[in-house]
Amino acid sequence: MLYQGDAPLVWEQILAQQAAIGDYLAVIGLDVVVDRAEGYAYVRQQDSEARDDGTAVPRLVTRHRLSFPVSLMLVLLRGRLADSDASSDDPRLVLTREDLVEMVRGFLPHAATKPNSSTRSTPT
């Protein structure tokens, strides 16, 4: 991930050469993603269906299904981070365990959200 503010000269080069960079990376099954409005760029693996020549590209990172509690936590954390970014100049968001429990309390069964509960959900 490259942020515009972290490397302005590199950012300008990426914008100027985006098509050439995309063509170069496509050969090895990667796409360059540039979000000009948010000021960041990153590289991701192409979907196997997206390849024009039909060549299967091996996965760089395996995909795993996330459980509902894990998916819920990620969505809630992303929302809190967006809220924090919009309302604070501090780039960090620090939450306590109690904050996390309070965030998911309304979405999970009662026993799973007690901080000192002996019944804990196991990650999958």
Side-chain angles (χ1 to χ4, degrees):
M1 175 83 64
L2 174 83
Y3 293 98
Q4 179 181 6
D6 292 345
L9 296 176
V10 175
W11 177 256
E12 291 302 321
Q13 289 296 316
I14 289 173
L15 294 181
Q17 300 295 324
Q18 184 176 354
I21 293 169
D23 291 344
Y24 182 80
L25 292 173
V27 173
I28 57 173
L30 300 174
D31 285 327
V32 62
V33 178
V34 177
D35 189 327
R36 292 172 186 243
E38 294 293 324
Y40 65 85
Y42 63 94
V43 175
R44 70 174 173 204
Q45 185 164 359
Q46 292 176 345
D47 293 328
S48 57
E49 299 86 33
R51 302 243 341 152
D52 293 336
D53 58 4
T55 305
V57 178
R59 300 259 351 133
L60 296 176
V61 177
T62 59
R63 291 184 180 221
H64 299 282
R65 284 196 187 273
L66 300 177
S67 65
F68 174 75
V70 172
S71 297
L72 174 66
M73 182 62 71
L74 291 173
V75 168
L76 294 173
L77 286 172
R78 182 64 187 108
R80 288 287 296 266
L81 184 59
D83 292 344
S84 175
D85 285 346
S87 64
S88 173
D89 290 335
D90 189 2
R92 298 182 322 146
L93 172 63
V94 179
L95 299 172
T96 64
R97 179 183 175 133
E98 290 76 26
D99 293 334
L100 298 176
V101 169
E102 199 56 40
M103 284 171 46
V104 299
R105 186 176 305 274
F107 298 96
L108 295 178
H110 182 67
T113 59
K114 286 184 181 176
N116 296 327
S117 173
S118 60
T119 307
R120 296 187 186 253
S121 56
T122 56
T124 54

